Amino acid sequence: MTTSPIKSVLIVDDSRVARILIRNIILSIHPHWIITEAVNGKEAIERVRVETPNYVTMDYNMPDINGIEAAQQILQYAPRTIIALFTANVQANTHAQAEKLGIGFVDKPVTVERINQALAYFDSRS
Amino acid sequence: MTLHISDIQKNALIEIFNIGVGQAANSLSQIVGEVITPSVPTIAILHSDDQADAISTITRKPRICAVSQDFTGGFDARAFLIFPEGKTREIVRRMLGESVSADELSKMEQEALCEIGNIILNSCSSALSDILHISFHSSIPAYHLGFADEILFAHSANNDDLLILCHIDFSIPSARSDGYLVFLLSPPSFNMLTRQVEQFLLGID
């Protein structure tokens, strides 16, 4: 049995329910990973400065600044952060913005399949 | 303001909403973990005088639980995902799974419904966006519980607002509940939408 290295994930979502779902599914797959949470884009920007997580799951539709804007700011000072946008907003232009920024794109709702998709993306970029 | 929609435009709108509703149903199916078969949407364009009666017909109950989001962009609309009052607990329970206690479930019900509304309303608007080649910005979802007419028209700035009633029967067997989608548009927004539908029809002609 191989043991995967412990990684840290910052979950950014204004919905507590979405955060719980993402956290529970990640921990069911990687019980030893370190999970932290931010409830909006601004908090995420601050947390990445302090915690330097390996991976970030980023909601799109949040108060103040959206997930794309938050990811943009994070990548300016922490360009090695691997970010996947989690969103129900699957409009082509949102997809294009994520692609331009070089971040992953995962459709909501949060399911085991979608989390696996995000984890595969994180793994491919590590 | 004169409002008119031709039969072909109405047919196109039904087809566009049908695709949007299909995506929304797919999202809801993933949330509750069971097959959701939506009915073909029926679209009615209602003026203010007819709206109160229409709401009772839609929901079959005077009190509803709703999540709303404002969409701005290609056209502006307030969209509602509606469930009859008292029919949402099972949907939320299925979303959160068995690990959440009844007490926690009760505390998180509103937030969970907002997340469900966000996913479903965005699924639908994303389909409209892709088909009509327009983009939308969506607001943060808001939760409402109360009488249908008060909720739907509480923030309507103009009594002339139209109700584009996209009535779908989101039948959820385990929850013994139906869900409904309603879009509220002002007359200028309605005209923007019909222009975009016209462009869509020219594109497929």
Side-chain angles (χ1 to χ4, degrees):
Chain A
M1 185 177 157
T2 55
T3 310
S4 60
I6 292 175
K7 300 285 186 181
S8 55
V9 185
L10 174 65
I11 300 169
V12 187
D13 204 307
D14 61 320
S15 164
R16 180 164 50 134
V17 171
R19 295 197 305 272
I20 289 171
L21 287 169
I22 295 170
R23 169 188 282 272
N24 288 350
I25 297 171
I26 291 177
L27 288 178
S28 72
I29 299 166
H30 296 294
H32 303 297
W33 280 21
I34 299 155
I35 312 279
T36 52
E37 298 179 10
V39 301
N40 57 48
K42 285 182 179 166
E43 188 187 343
I45 292 162
E46 292 311 310
R47 280 195 173 274
V48 171
R49 281 188 200 280
V50 178
E51 297 168 4
T52 56
N54 300 108
Y55 309 134
V56 175
T57 70
M58 180 73 77
D59 183 30
Y60 176 77
N61 194 15
M62 294 185 287
D64 294 328
I65 59 171
N66 68 39
I68 291 280
E69 291 163 340
Q72 208 161 20
Q73 291 190 40
I74 286 170
L75 291 173
Q76 275 173 8
Y77 66 81
R80 293 169 67 92
T81 313
I82 303 170
I83 304 173
L85 193 71
F86 265 68
T87 180
N89 181 339
V90 291
Q91 295 179 55
N93 69 330
T94 312
H95 212 299
Q97 284 179 61
E99 204 167 289
K100 192 175 169 191
L101 203 54
I103 64 176
F105 191 96
V106 180
D107 297 354
K108 277 188 174 180
V110 176
T111 61
V112 174
E113 186 189 355
R114 298 279 162 77
I115 294 293
N116 274 317
Q117 189 187 333
L119 294 176
Y121 172 76
F122 291 149
D123 197 40
S124 72
R125 295 287 307 272
S126 295
Chain B
M1 180 176 283
T2 307
L3 296 160
H4 174 72
I5 183 166
S6 67
D7 282 347
I8 185 74
Q9 286 174 331
K10 192 172 176 180
N11 284 342
L13 258 186
I14 288 174
E15 180 54 23
I16 291 165
F17 274 102
N18 199 20
I19 294 166
V21 163
Q23 291 196 12
N26 183 39
S27 299
L28 186 59
S29 172
Q30 290 171 43
I31 291 169
V32 298
E34 63 184 303
V35 175
I36 306 291
T37 311
S39 62
V40 174
T42 55
I43 290 187
I45 296 159
L46 304 165
H47 295 263
S48 52
D49 293 347
D50 311 318
Q51 289 171 354
D53 285 347
I55 298 306
S56 343
T57 311
I58 305 165
T59 60
R60 287 169 284 185
K61 290 209 173 179
R63 285 177 62 84
I64 58 169
C65 174
V67 179
S68 69
Q69 262 181 307
D70 289 339
F71 290 91
T72 51
F75 60 89
D76 297 349
R78 173 162 294 155
F80 295 87
L81 172 68
I82 297 172
F83 295 103
E85 185 185 18
K87 293 285 187 182
T88 53
R89 182 67 57 89
E90 180 59 20
I91 297 169
V92 173
R93 194 192 66 73
R94 292 186 71 92
M95 178 191 195
L96 293 173
E98 301 294 342
S99 60
V100 176
S101 70
D103 188 40
E104 284 176 312
L105 191 68
S106 172
K107 286 179 188 160
M108 287 195 290
E109 189 168 348
Q110 287 189 22
E111 280 188 65
L113 283 169
C114 280
E115 182 64 3
I116 290 170
N118 181 46
I119 291 164
I120 290 177
L121 295 173
N122 269 286
S123 295
C124 200
S125 69
S126 295
L128 295 180
S129 163
D130 286 348
I131 296 164
L132 296 174
H133 303 296
I134 51 180
S135 57
F136 291 107
H137 172 75
S138 59
S139 68
I140 302 300
Y143 173 86
H144 314 269
L145 181 66
F147 288 100
D149 53 349
E150 289 171 5
I151 291 170
L152 288 168
F153 306 113
H155 306 291
S156 178
N158 188 339
N159 284 337
D160 290 335
D161 274 2
L162 298 165
L163 189 71
I164 288 203
L165 181 62
C166 174
H167 172 203
I168 41 150
D169 186 353
F170 264 147
S171 190
I172 307 165
S174 65
R176 295 179 186 171
S177 181
D178 292 347
Y180 309 89
L181 286 178
V182 168
F183 293 82
L184 198 61
L185 281 83
S186 67
S189 277
F190 175 78
N191 282 336
M192 285 168 74
L193 171 60
T194 51
R195 278 200 296 275
Q196 280 146 0
V197 169
E198 197 54 46
Q199 288 296 315
F200 166 76
L201 287 167
L202 286 170
I204 61 171
D205 196 12

